[in-house]
Amino acid sequence: MEKAAAEATEKGTNVAVKGEAAIRPEFLTTKEKFHGFIDSEWRGSKGEKASGQDTKEVGGEEPEAKKLKLDTEEKSTQGKPDGKRLRGQNKSRPHTKPTTYDEKRLCLSVIQDNRECPFGDKCHFEHDVAQYMACKPADIGQSCYLYDTFGKCTYGLSCRFAKAHTTSDFKTMENTDLVKTHDRNPVKNSLSKDLQNRLRKRSVAFKKSEEYLKTLSNNRNKTAQQGNGEACAAEVSAAPAGGEQLKCTEAETQAILDKQPPVKTVGPLTDVDIIKLRFCEKKQVDFKDKLYLAPLTTCGNLPFRRVCKRFGVDITCGEMAMCTNLLQGQQSEWALLKRHESEDLFGVQVEGCFPDTMTRCAELINNNTDVDFVDINSGCPIELVYKKGGGCGLMTRTRKFEQIVKGMNYVLDVPLTVKIRTGVQEKSNVAHKLIPEMKNWGVSMITLHGRSREQRYTKLADWDYISSCSKLANPVPLFGNGDILSYEDAMKARETGVSGLMIARGALIKPWIFTEIKESRHWDISSSERLDILKDFTNFGLEHWGCDTRGVEKTRTFMLEWLSFMCRYIPVGLLERVPQKINERPPYYMGRNYLETLMASQNVGDWVRISEMLLGPVPKNFIFLPKHKANSYK
């Protein structure tokens, strides 16, 4: 027994060195015991599996561990039947549209006060209410969040909580007092049909953008003629008074005009002149000592940001939006710009690689949305974005980067910020060269992620480098980003002299991190409190995406994406050494109760079970594969 205990202790020490979190020995278990306990308890509480299907059919098997690079011989035996190699998890993910979960959908004309359908017999949706209710999936719960909060559910009979606000003769009820209280829309920045049509017809005017782009083309012409200018100067000195002297005098006059001060010194000064040209007149934002929730693709949606606002985050930002898609009026891309009224300091992040599209996009956002700042994504490592010159690619295209920044600054009435990485290659940092230049370009704030594109999320963020860059950036505020998962990490990061902190994965793993930082404590949050957070997200999701079958399944999908990060959290009371580090892999352990154990599972099927506790059973044809596969433990 003593020998076995000694071996276990030695093994535990080795595991800790290899990157696994140090958990108290009494909570540690094996993979087989862990999943056996979860499955037996789930069957015991439900009588059978909630969906009536095997876990593998519902959500797929547990994600495999990260594989080592194969030899050339092994590579040739793996891949597609046509010999092509499989690349990227996202390319093989199942993409099931939420609309496929509804066998029959009720026509909007029936939902909205039984008005006459404009499509008549050609309409593909259901008009017979009794027939629709007979085949509609069972209600999820007894109370509807939208009805209880706003006094009216716009989804009517198609709502998955319809019994809460439907009479026996299939009429939708209203609570007039609540309706009067909530007579405004809490979400801003929606794309209007009129603007969408004008964007599609390319009839939107971009006056300020055209002014800037005209100066760009003029500058190119001047550069091209620069060689001829020197020859002209020689001719001027040699020639007597005459035509040639006059031509060069005009050129000199134009050069003087180009160097005119930003504010007129002759003639009346109008408001238009000041607003157009003076940077000091722009709206200013105080970024100092703020906590900034990173613009997280997929997971940084509006409901998740609302959850983080409850825990004390100061600055929120929409997910990365492609500027070309915004200019084309794509509804799905404009949805990324939506802002909830609780987001008091909110910005949007755009990605692009050309000055013309980025400048026009900035003007479009400036004129049609309510934002506090606009952020340029020059740190995205995704291959698709990088190859066309966007994201991290901008860091290697300094001239284009400068033109984009100056153009966007020219058309914006709000501050312009930039998010960058240390560089593209792992051992070749370029951020320290870019930052002094960006100060001259007119950037209001810089965020630096302490890794290169090549690193992605392997190895720790380089906070020493972030510290040196923050000194270079002064007086422009610089935010640091990377590996913050506790208030202790935040305190160490602040010692580097950064103006504020951006938190990304740390907020996904534990959104209450903002409370921990502001209160300087480790919060041993209970599993029931964590379930309440997921309940809040569910309610916010039903409000944002809808409470019909389509909205419910969309909410479920985004919740499962979030759970693929949240399952990495290890409760404080189980740790041998506090705090948990972001690069430490959680081993198999038993929680202090069943729910805590379930939330620790890395199995997709167990995340589906958690979603079923809040959103009811999944549809028969439901499939989910997580978008993100962690390799941060390398």
Side-chain angles (χ1 to χ4, degrees), residues 162-200:
K163 286 179 184 175
H165 48 74
T166 306
T167 60
S168 55
D169 57 343
F170 302 127
K171 299 289 182 185
T172 303
M173 297 185 292
E174 283 187 24
N175 185 332
T176 51
D177 294 334
L178 273 177
V179 171
K180 287 176 184 176
T181 310
H182 298 87
D183 58 345
R184 70 186 188 286
N185 187 358
V187 177
K188 304 174 185 176
N189 301 346
S190 296
L191 176 64
S192 67
K193 274 291 176 189
D194 174 58
L195 179 59
Q196 187 178 41
N197 290 333
R198 287 191 292 124
L199 285 169
R200 287 176 177 177

Side-chain angles (χ1 to χ4, degrees), residues 46-119:
K46 299 290 178 183
E48 58 180 357
K49 295 204 174 187
S51 61
Q53 298 179 18
D54 190 76
T55 305
K56 291 180 182 179
E57 292 177 14
V58 174
E61 295 180 349
E62 184 176 357
E64 294 178 6
K66 189 172 175 68
K67 293 179 180 177
L68 298 171
K69 288 185 179 179
L70 301 170
D71 295 330
T72 313
E73 292 179 7
E74 289 182 77
K75 280 183 183 178
S76 60
T77 61
Q78 297 196 10
K80 296 179 182 177
D82 57 2
K84 291 183 180 178
R85 189 160 59 95
L86 288 167
R87 290 179 62 84
Q89 190 170 1
N90 285 343
K91 293 181 182 178
S92 60
R93 292 176 77 224
H95 292 279
T96 311
K97 291 186 178 179
T99 49
T100 58
Y101 301 129
D102 266 330
E103 290 181 11
K104 285 188 178 180
R105 294 180 66 196
L106 198 60
C107 181
L108 195 63
S109 63
V110 180
I111 296 172
Q112 296 177 347
D113 303 324
N114 286 318
R115 60 184 173 85
E116 189 178 344
C117 180
F119 299 100

Side-chain angles (χ1 to χ4, degrees), residues 484-505:
I484 297 172
L485 191 60
S486 66
Y487 88 87
E488 289 181 12
D489 294 334
M491 285 170 62
K492 287 177 184 174
R494 278 176 171 159
E495 288 170 7
T496 61
V498 292
S499 303
L501 304 175
M502 175 183 271
I503 301 174
R505 285 179 302 160

Side-chain angles (χ1 to χ4, degrees), residues 504-553:
R505 285 179 302 160
L508 291 171
I509 295 169
K510 43 188 265 192
W512 54 92
I513 186 173
F514 305 106
T515 303
E516 287 191 347
I517 292 170
K518 289 190 171 181
E519 297 180 1
S520 300
R521 67 185 177 102
H522 296 298
W523 185 356
D524 189 10
I525 192 167
S526 67
S527 56
S528 59
E529 286 174 307
R530 287 157 68 193
L531 188 65
D532 287 338
I533 295 169
L534 291 173
K535 280 179 186 174
D536 286 340
F537 176 83
T538 301
N539 291 333
F540 298 155
L542 294 173
E543 182 184 335
H544 186 58
W545 292 301
C547 56
D548 56 349
T549 300
R550 184 178 183 175
V552 165
E553 296 312 320

